[in-house]
């Protein structure tokens, strides 16, 4: 409990102790509550500078929600307002992650019971905002996504190619998550080849395929094989899939190449 009180007080202290700056914050707060978008942005930046992350995220999120992707600054900045908001929000989560890496896990105290979980959520949020900025053409965001190990080509799609959810043999209460259904299809249809079983062959086969604009599966190829009939079985299972929901970019369905590891393990 003592740490909670200290955390809240420490978060408020910069605002309460800045004299003239306090008036500025109050003025901005009043303007922001009256719908002034620039005031929302300025508040977010001010709180970010003071490392009061929850307040910064709150005001920058409000600012982002007020923007549309085609609104641009009228001054010297060429950044779209929404793009700028996305980058600033990414900055908030990146700064919190940096604080965590410095050993200052109190930034998550009261927000997450487990600081590691807070860090993981911040990384997910960071990637999410960078992705939004990347879709708006921000080169810095795209470079940052690449540095984080994100598949940028797939991330910047309007909609990802997905295994269909409307399969007939899902049990009541079972997940309809496309990734789960995809893995479920593989597990239910994969047969361990007898030659591989007899030779004790096991391992990972990587198969690539293309989801066409109409959802059909084509160009199924083994990128990494292990032999013993496992490669052929992996290809057979992928070819047995129903039509997928295709990838969409700029509002148009497009062909998209994917790859998947299929594991063969002897029991």
């Amino acid at each position: 409990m003592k740490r909670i009180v200290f955390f809240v007080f420490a978060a408020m202290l910069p605002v309460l102790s800045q004299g003239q700056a306090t008036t500025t914050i109050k003025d901005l707060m009043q303007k922001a509550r009256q719908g002034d978008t620039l005031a929302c942005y300025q508040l977010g930046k001010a709180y970010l500078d003071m490392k009061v992350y929850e307040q910064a995220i709150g005001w920058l999120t409000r600012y982002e929600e007020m923007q549309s992707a085609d609104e641009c600054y009228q001054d010297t900045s060429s950044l779209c307002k929404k793009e700028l908001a996305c980058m600033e929000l990414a900055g908030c989560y990146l700064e919190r992650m940096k604080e965590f890496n410095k050993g200052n896990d109190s930034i998550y105290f009261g927000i997450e019971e487990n600081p590691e979980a807070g860090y993981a959520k911040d990384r997910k949020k960071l990637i999410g905002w960078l992705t939004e900025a990347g879709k708006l053409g921000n080169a810095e965001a795209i470079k940052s996504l690449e540095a984080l190990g994100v598949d940028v080509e797939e991330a910047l799609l309007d909609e990802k190619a997905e295994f269909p959810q409307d399969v007939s043999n899902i049990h009541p209460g079972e997940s309809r998550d496309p990734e789960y259904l995809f893995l479920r299809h593989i597990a239910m249809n994969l047969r361990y080849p007898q030659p591989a079983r007899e030779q004790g062959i096991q391992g990972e086969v990587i198969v690539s395929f293309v989801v066409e604009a109409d959802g059909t599966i084509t160009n199924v190829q083994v990128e990494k094989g292990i032999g013993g009939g496992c490669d052929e079985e992996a290809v057979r299972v992928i070819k047995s899939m129903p039509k997928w929901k295709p990838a969409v970019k700029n509002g148009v369905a497009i062909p998209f190449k994917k790859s998947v590891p299929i594991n063969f393990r002897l029991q």
Side-chain angles (χ1 to χ4, degrees), residues 123-167:
R123 188 177 189 280
K124 185 175 180 180
K125 289 281 190 177
L126 169 65
I127 290 173
W129 288 118
L130 287 172
T131 299
E132 288 298 311
K135 288 179 179 179
L136 294 167
N138 189 288
E140 182 183 349
I142 293 172
K143 188 180 294 186
S144 296
L145 286 170
E146 291 172 344
L148 289 166
V150 175
D151 183 336
V152 175
E153 185 180 359
E154 185 170 17
L156 299 187
L157 293 170
D158 297 339
E159 297 177 25
K160 297 180 182 180
E162 292 182 345
F163 192 86
Q165 294 180 306
D166 56 342
V167 293

Side-chain angles (χ1 to χ4, degrees), residues 144-215:
S144 296
L145 286 170
E146 291 172 344
L148 289 166
V150 175
D151 183 336
V152 175
E153 185 180 359
E154 185 170 17
L156 299 187
L157 293 170
D158 297 339
E159 297 177 25
K160 297 180 182 180
E162 292 182 345
F163 192 86
Q165 294 180 306
D166 56 342
V167 293
S168 59
N169 58 346
I170 299 179
H171 302 299
E174 191 172 10
S175 172
R176 299 184 71 87
D177 176 72
E179 185 66 19
Y180 166 80
L181 295 175
F182 176 38
L183 297 176
R184 178 180 181 270
H185 172 87
I186 293 174
M188 290 181 66
N189 291 279
L190 194 67
R191 302 290 179 264
Y192 216 109
Q194 191 59 32
R197 190 180 296 277
E198 291 173 355
Q199 297 173 55
I201 294 174
Q202 56 183 342
E204 181 182 80
V205 178
I206 298 179
V207 180
S208 66
F209 57 95
V210 174
V211 180
E212 298 290 351
D214 64 356

Side-chain angles (χ1 to χ4, degrees), residues 11 15 22 24-67 73 81-82 84-90 92-93 96 129:
V15 180
T22 304
T24 303
I25 291 290
K26 287 182 177 179
D27 288 345
L28 288 174
M29 195 85 69
Q30 184 176 4
K31 290 179 181 179
R33 287 170 177 165
Q34 292 172 349
D36 187 319
T37 57
L38 180 58
C40 291
Y41 173 72
Q42 291 172 329
L43 275 172
K45 285 286 288 180
Y47 280 116
L48 178 57
D49 290 342
M50 294 186 289
K51 298 186 178 182
V52 185
Y53 299 112
E54 290 307 300
Q55 290 275 25
I57 290 167
W59 286 111
L60 286 169
T61 299
R62 183 178 295 193
Y63 174 76
E64 187 273 336
E65 290 170 348
M66 291 176 174
Q67 313 309 313
Y73 273 123
K81 288 182 179 179
K82 187 176 179 70
L84 178 63
C86 292
M87 290 301 287
E88 294 292 1
L89 280 161
C92 285
Y93 290 104
R96 290 214 306 191
W129 288 118

